Amino acid sequence: MSAGPYNYSYIFKYIIIGDMGVGKSCLLHQFTEKKFMADCPHTIGVEFGTRIIEVSGQKIKLQIWDTAGQERFRAVTRSYYRGAAGALMVYDITRRSTYNHLSSWLTDTRNLTNPSTVIFLIGNKCDLEGQRDVTYEEASKFAEENGLMFVEASAKTGDNVEEAFLETAKKIYQSIQDGRLDLNAAESGVQHKPSQPGGRPGSAAGGDQSGRDNCAC
Amino acid sequence: MWCPTHVQVTVQKAECELFKGKNSTNDCFVTIALGKIKYETSVKEKAGRQVEWHEECELPIPDQGNTAEIILTVLHRNYLGIDEFLGRVTIPLHSLDIYERPKNKWYTLQSKTGSEKKNKERGKLEVKIGFTVKSGSLTNLSKKEKHKSSIGGLSAVAQSVGGSLMSLGSVEKRKGIKKFAKSIGSKMHLKVKKKGHEDDDSSVGSMGSLYNRVNNPEKFRSRQTLEDADPGVVSDEDEFTFDDLSHKSSASSLSQPSTHINASPIIKVSSFENITPSDSFKKIEEGSLPPTKPPRAELLRPQDEWESKLVGNKSKTPSRPGSSESLNRRSWDAASKLATQIEEDPKDLLEPPQTKKDKPKTPETPKKEEKEGMFSKFKSKNFRMDKEINSEHDKINNLRERIIIGGENETIKVTPTNNSKISNELLQKFKGKTREDLILELNESRSDLEKQKKKLKDLEDYLDDLLLRVMETTPRILQNPYVQCKLAHKQYSQST
């Protein structure tokens, strides 16, 4: 495999949030595997997927965390949010209720992440235009008012999925370049590699890492 | 199998070839007879060849014998002497198909038996014959009702009994009168009918019995008593009925008024059950009872309980909406009579049918206390029956089923099947369980559920805690395509 263990400069931590059934896991799967999971089971625990992307010539490993959407306040919630460089906030354009809950998701994200965290709003299932319940305009307005990036995507067709993840990464990278994001801060959600693996256990064990990266990336 | 109790005969029209009156006319009428029961149509005076009546009557099918036949006789009314014979039609019951839809049919008028030789051209008569279930066979009633919604069932019962329903229209009322007149007895009926003919000849679409109301105040009164009695009877049993309804059948759809309606006709039904019309009038008047019989002794035990209930109910009755005090008193009497009658019926049924006829008329015992006692017995018996139904609902033999008299049991039996929300299997599952059982069971299930929920919550919390530790210490193992990595790694290590 070409992607070696130290073949990237940064690790960005992403989280995906949103109501149950909006397609968080499917977005992740589409992004990491480029496949659509037709009968995606409800996510119960917490897991993450990875993929290495390239922004401005820099290889960046995205570590995207995904958890269940039905229970928002759990013991893991705080830990889940902590140190996220990017947050993908997802709603389902065919279900208005998922859109209506965005403000509370946003509040949680603001409270539990650091100010430099990039929040990206994704209106998922845009392939289901006929069942649309939330217009692009109002969601766009909501995003603008709250300083969010916004795109309508489809985990099924893959439309805009790549873009959403990449745009977020670009914004984070921009923040690093601008110096707004302190890489040394404990919970920045960004690790600079390979110079110092640091406390990140994932990158600590070198031998293991090679095996994992071989298949995951 | 459907077992009709009555045959409905509609005399439509006739074409007479013989003329006994002046100028080739007849004062024409038809008598309809089956067994001992006989009806006659109105007289169409100075009728020509074609005569039309369109009059209908219902004759009870005799209990015994399969050789019964409907005899329709066309006569010319001779006001001075004997009515003159124009022709007749005999239709053996066994020649009719009970499942066939009633339809008009022409029958050729025959000569009297024994004079067939003449073989005159007499003409023909158009008649429609249908079968119905009226009073008597509760088995059939319940079967019929099972296929209908509760309200439909109610109206079916009400209609088949007739008269007792407040909401019944004039047509039904008329039927009711007819029906009652029938049950009151042929003797009286005939007498009255004759009177009626003298008074009024038009009598469109009605049998002679209709005149009862106008011409026979006594009969009219008693009819009213019976009808008005129904709410009274029911009111005394409302509580009982309702308890059972709500407990056992969970038929929430049944409202109180409908219970009324439902229960009352059935009581009436039962009171006339298996009693030939000529008997019934006398019986009701006497309110008599054979002194001691086995079932009765059995029933004496739970009497006290019901008596107390009865007293309570009695004080309640006047406050019932839409019932005056005088009416209640009257209905009370009638109700007791009915109860008495009902009390008697099971014994009739328990005995072979033949003995019923020979049963001696017993001295009258309609004292007030006695009546009350009987009433409570009636109720307690119902209660007992109800128990039986619950325990061996499925294999109730015919005898038992016929013993189940009175509104409550009938209602209970019918309503569960009417409730479309609950499937039969589900009902079967909870069969025989009392309300108490069900409450306990539900309570148990609920606490179980609570326990389960708590357990689940604890597990979730534990998992979250574990997850948290993993996330804090070794998040790597939470990576999604983890297993494959591990395998790949293993393969890799093996190969090296």
Side-chain angles (χ1 to χ4, degrees):
Chain A
M1 281 284 188
S2 59
Y6 305 110
N7 210 7
Y8 51 88
S9 321
Y10 297 93
I11 297 176
F12 289 176
K13 181 189 173 182
Y14 278 20
I15 56 169
I16 310 180
I17 51 173
D19 277 11
M20 192 168 100
V22 295
K24 297 181 294 294
S25 300
C26 287
L27 281 169
L28 172 60
H29 200 256
Q30 175 63 251
F31 180 67
T32 58
E33 307 287 321
K34 296 195 171 61
K35 273 183 233 156
F36 175 62
M37 280 195 289
D39 47 353
C40 177
H42 290 299
T43 309
I44 293 170
V46 179
E47 57 194 28
F48 70 88
T50 57
R51 186 179 149 189
I52 291 176
I53 56 163
E54 204 177 294
V55 176
S56 306
Q58 292 279 353
K59 288 239 179 346
I60 298 168
K61 181 173 177 175
L62 297 184
Q63 188 185 71
I64 307 138
W65 290 77
D66 174 35
T67 189
Q70 64 263 51
E71 279 180 273
R72 293 190 292 114
F73 278 102
R74 295 163 38 172
V76 292
T77 305
R78 189 170 290 274
S79 185
Y80 179 75
Y81 280 88
R82 191 196 302 140
L88 304 178
M89 194 160 70
V90 187
Y91 72 95
D92 178 352
I93 67 155
T94 67
R95 281 190 295 146
R96 180 145 212 107
S97 62
T98 66
Y99 174 79
N100 293 338
H101 292 156
L102 286 178
S103 53
S104 65
W105 283 112
L106 187 60
T107 309
D108 290 349
T109 313
R110 294 248 194 260
N111 289 340
L112 297 167
T113 58
N114 54 61
S116 59
T117 301
V118 174
I119 303 171
F120 201 106
L121 181 63
I122 299 175
N124 194 24
K125 309 192 187 178
C126 73
D127 53 298
L128 302 171
E129 187 59 45
Q131 299 167 42
R132 179 185 284 276
D133 206 12
V134 182
T135 65
Y136 179 86
E137 287 72 26
E138 63 180 314
S140 183
K141 192 161 167 272
F142 173 83
E144 202 177 311
E145 281 167 0
N146 291 283
L148 315 173
M149 299 167 85
F150 171 60
V151 80
E152 277 190 351
S154 169
K156 190 175 184 178
T157 62
D159 280 354
N160 283 337
V161 175
E162 197 89 359
E163 287 81 349
F165 284 87
L166 289 180
E167 287 303 310
T168 310
K170 276 180 196 163
K171 188 88 182 285
I172 296 165
Y173 188 72
Q174 194 66 46
S175 299
I176 296 166
Q177 300 304 103
D178 294 353
R180 273 182 287 138
L181 198 147
D182 183 6
L183 286 177
N184 299 319
E187 297 178 0
S188 67
V190 180
Q191 277 180 286
H192 199 18
K193 297 258 306 180
S195 53
Q196 186 49 260
R200 271 289 191 239
S203 49
D208 233 26
Q209 190 88 19
S210 70
R212 186 192 63 185
D213 285 349
N214 270 343
C215 63
C217 308
Chain B
M1 193 190 116
W2 190 56
C3 190
T5 59
H6 283 66
V7 58
Q8 204 164 33
V9 180
T10 312
V11 178
Q12 305 286 24
K13 49 198 170 200
E15 280 179 30
C16 296
E17 303 295 345
L18 293 178
F19 301 98
K20 305 280 180 177
K22 290 170 189 166
N23 308 322
S24 295
T25 61
N26 284 319
D27 295 340
C28 202
F29 70 103
V30 183
T31 65
I32 307 103
L34 175 62
K36 291 175 187 169
I37 316 301
K38 198 172 173 187
Y39 286 96
E40 65 184 47
T41 67
S42 58
V43 179
K44 301 292 176 196
E45 285 186 318
K46 298 185 180 66
R49 188 172 158 269
Q50 301 218 348
V51 202
E52 291 194 20
W53 288 276
H54 305 294
E55 291 178 24
E56 180 191 274
C57 68
E58 276 164 358
L59 303 117
I61 296 166
D63 287 344
Q64 291 159 292
N66 53 1
T67 56
E69 45 188 16
I70 303 164
I71 301 168
L72 297 135
T73 315
V74 185
L75 294 155
H76 164 71
R77 168 60 44 95
N78 191 340
Y79 290 107
L80 300 170
I82 300 160
D83 296 332
E84 286 177 81
F85 180 82
L86 293 171
R88 78 171 186 184
V89 173
T90 49
I91 308 161
L93 281 185
H94 63 78
S95 73
L96 298 162
D97 183 3
I98 59 166
Y99 293 104
E100 206 181 331
R101 257 179 92 97
K103 60 172 183 245
N104 292 325
K105 193 180 170 187
W106 285 98
Y107 293 89
T108 312
L109 290 171
Q110 309 286 332
S111 304
K112 281 180 201 169
T113 34
S115 55
E116 279 97 340
K117 283 169 209 160
K118 290 181 195 169
N119 212 8
K120 274 192 250 176
E121 182 63 30
R122 293 180 176 274
K124 53 186 179 173
L125 182 68
E126 192 187 33
V127 181
K128 185 165 80 179
I129 296 169
F131 289 90
T132 55
V133 175
K134 292 281 160 178
S135 59
S137 176
L138 279 169
T139 324
N140 296 313
L141 264 182
S142 62
K143 269 183 196 157
K144 219 168 138 191
E145 277 165 31
K146 267 172 194 167
H147 304 294
K148 296 179 181 176
S149 71
S150 57
I151 293 299
L154 286 177
S155 61
V157 177
Q159 210 156 3
S160 65
V161 173
S164 63
L165 214 63
M166 292 95 146
S167 62
L168 280 179
S170 56
V171 180
E172 281 91 345
K173 226 161 205 163
R174 213 170 57 185
K175 271 188 195 162
I177 298 162
K178 264 201 270 176
K179 164 81 175 64
F180 185 76
K182 252 185 281 165
S183 23
I184 270 167
S186 50
K187 269 185 214 163
M188 179 160 244
H189 160 69
L190 283 170
K191 190 179 75 194
V192 172
K193 175 196 66 200
K194 286 250 165 79
K195 231 171 160 189
H197 279 292
E198 282 155 26
D199 287 347
D200 184 357
D201 285 327
S202 64
S203 68
V204 181
S206 67
M207 299 306 297
S209 57
L210 277 185
Y211 294 99
N212 292 345
R213 195 189 168 115
V214 188
N215 296 319
N216 195 327
E218 186 202 347
K219 215 181 209 175
F220 177 56
R221 193 199 60 78
S222 58
R223 180 192 70 88
Q224 254 217 333
T225 311
L226 264 174
E227 280 184 24
D228 294 349
D230 291 335
V233 174
V234 176
S235 79
D236 286 307
E237 284 164 11
D238 265 355
E239 207 181 326
F240 178 79
T241 310
F242 249 79
D243 276 355
D244 275 306
L245 271 178
S246 54
H247 292 186
K248 304 225 166 73
S249 65
S250 64
S252 52
S253 63
L254 258 187
S255 61
Q256 188 154 352
S258 50
T259 318
H260 251 242
I261 294 159
N262 201 357
S264 48
I266 288 159
I267 285 172
K268 208 170 172 184
V269 167
S270 51
S271 69
F272 292 121
E273 188 178 17
N274 268 11
I275 295 164
T276 56
S278 48
D279 287 338
S280 67
F281 186 61
K282 252 188 263 170
K283 278 191 185 170
I284 290 165
E285 280 298 284
E286 289 170 7
S288 61
L289 249 182
T292 43
K293 292 210 171 182
R296 201 179 156 193
E298 213 178 316
L299 293 164
L300 283 168
R301 273 180 275 119
Q303 185 173 335
D304 285 353
E305 183 196 337
W306 289 105
E307 206 143 47
S308 60
K309 203 166 187 172
L310 196 75
V311 172
N313 276 330
K314 226 177 154 189
S315 56
K316 244 188 278 168
T317 348
S319 66
R320 284 194 72 79
S323 63
S324 71
E325 215 184 323
S326 63
L327 187 82
N328 268 316
R329 211 178 298 127
R330 209 157 42 125
S331 61
W332 182 256
D333 269 59
S336 318
K337 277 177 195 165
L338 276 171
T340 318
Q341 197 67 47
I342 288 155
E343 171 78 16
E344 195 173 2
D345 280 332
K347 280 161 250 152
D348 291 348
L349 291 160
L350 288 164
E351 289 164 14
Q354 290 89 342
T355 55
K356 197 191 81 183
K357 295 246 164 95
D358 311 324
K359 193 166 52 192
K361 291 276 178 285
T362 47
E364 294 187 28
T365 51
K367 289 162 198 152
K368 188 83 184 169
E369 304 82 19
E370 182 73 5
K371 279 180 195 166
E372 280 184 23
M374 284 169 188
F375 210 93
S376 37
K377 268 176 262 157
F378 165 54
K379 282 161 70 168
S380 58
K381 179 156 50 98
N382 272 317
F383 185 69
R384 191 172 57 85
M385 294 301 178
D386 180 46
K387 283 258 163 83
E388 279 176 34
I389 290 161
N390 276 320
S391 57
E392 40 179 321
H393 189 99
D394 290 323
K395 40 173 188 167
I396 294 170
N397 54 40
N398 194 35
L399 184 70
R400 263 220 184 92
E401 210 158 355
R402 298 201 74 186
I403 296 169
I404 302 150
I405 316 161
E408 302 95 309
N409 292 328
E410 191 60 21
T411 324
I412 288 157
K413 282 187 63 196
V414 172
T415 41
T417 45
N418 282 339
N419 200 330
S420 54
K421 275 185 194 164
I422 303 166
S423 68
N424 266 337
E425 295 104 80
L426 200 63
L427 273 175
Q428 210 69 37
K429 226 165 125 188
F430 293 103
K431 193 142 279 175
K433 297 207 170 161
T434 66
R435 186 170 182 259
E436 208 168 288
D437 288 344
L438 291 174
I439 287 172
L440 284 173
E441 217 163 90
L442 183 66
N443 197 43
E444 207 175 301
S445 305
R446 276 190 183 162
S447 60
D448 269 6
L449 192 67
E450 283 301 310
K451 271 182 212 159
Q452 293 291 333
K453 270 186 186 165
K454 201 183 173 297
K455 211 168 159 188
L456 193 70
K457 177 88 172 44
D458 287 350
L459 268 172
E460 277 177 359
D461 286 350
Y462 175 69
L463 272 177
D464 268 14
D465 191 45
L466 277 180
L467 209 52
L468 191 63
R469 284 187 223 174
V470 171
M471 283 168 81
E472 296 292 323
T473 56
T474 50
R476 182 185 50 80
I477 63 173
L478 292 174
Q479 187 167 358
N480 193 6
Y482 180 72
V483 182
Q484 287 142 300
C485 289
K486 190 100 183 181
L487 280 171
H489 180 57
K490 266 183 190 165
Q491 279 160 8
Y492 172 77
S493 6
Q494 275 162 8
S495 63
T496 48

